[in-house]
């Protein structure tokens, strides 16, 4: 089955860190740009970060710049999102998506999501 699988979410206190993983199953991520998106209750889905297939280019939403870092390890067929200095407003379900290029919709492949809750 061709799919993306997110992991690494959980409950963390404000100021804490989490690392999310997006692993591909049944296909290789080498040729795909990978984006992280999030959706909080009652809000629209928003793009968080994206990394090109080469890994040479990344982009971030203004709300996470300087706090989140996206990276990829093609040998492990996995993309990561390191999240530091987490804030309550980062609480959401985080999804990863794959497509040929970074963009607002990256649903050639899509994961089931992982919950991130930032709360004291």
């Amino acid at each position: 089955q061709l799919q993306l699988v997110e992991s690494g979410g959980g409950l963390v206190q404000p100021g804490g860190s989490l690392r999310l993983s997006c692993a591909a199953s049944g296909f290789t991520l080498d040729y795909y740009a990978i984006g992280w998106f999030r959706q909080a209750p009652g809000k629209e889905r928003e793009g968080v970060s994206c990394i090109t297939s080469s890994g040479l280019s990344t982009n971030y939403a203004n709300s996470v710049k300087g706090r989140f870092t996206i990276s990829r390890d093609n040998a492990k067929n996995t993309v990561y999102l390191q999240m530091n200095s987490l804030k309550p407003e980062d609480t959401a379900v985080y999804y990863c998506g794959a497509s040929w290029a970074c963009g607002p919709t990256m649903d050639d492949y899509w994961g089931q999501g992982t919950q991130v809750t930032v709360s004291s």
Side-chain angles (χ1 to χ4, degrees):
Q1 187 175 3
L2 308 181
Q3 61 180 350
L4 295 173
V5 180
E6 302 95 336
S7 61
L11 173 64
V12 63
Q13 293 187 340
S17 298
L18 285 173
R19 188 177 79 158
L20 304 184
S21 298
C22 172
S25 175
F27 69 103
T28 178
L29 289 179
D30 289 16
Y31 307 110
Y32 290 90
I34 303 298
W36 282 99
F37 299 80
R38 67 187 181 186
Q39 188 163 22
K43 295 188 177 181
E44 293 189 354
R45 186 178 75 185
E46 66 170 331
V48 175
S49 182
C50 188
I51 187 167
T52 57
S53 58
S54 66
L56 295 178
S57 181
T58 60
N59 59 55
Y60 299 92
N62 287 335
S63 58
V64 306
K65 277 181 182 177
R67 299 189 298 121
F68 290 11
T69 303
I70 192 170
S71 63
R72 65 190 300 153
D73 185 342
N74 285 350
K76 294 184 177 180
N77 219 20
T78 301
V79 171
Y80 304 99
L81 185 68
Q82 178 66 42
M83 307 188 297
N84 298 329
S85 302
L86 283 162
K87 304 175 181 180
E89 50 264 43
D90 295 317
T91 295
V93 178
Y94 284 70
Y95 301 89
C96 62
S99 189
W100 295 113
C102 290
T105 58
M106 299 182 66
D107 54 3
D108 289 15
Y109 297 99
W110 192 253
Q112 83 291 344
T114 185
Q115 175 71 48
V116 171
T117 303
V118 185
S119 175
S120 55

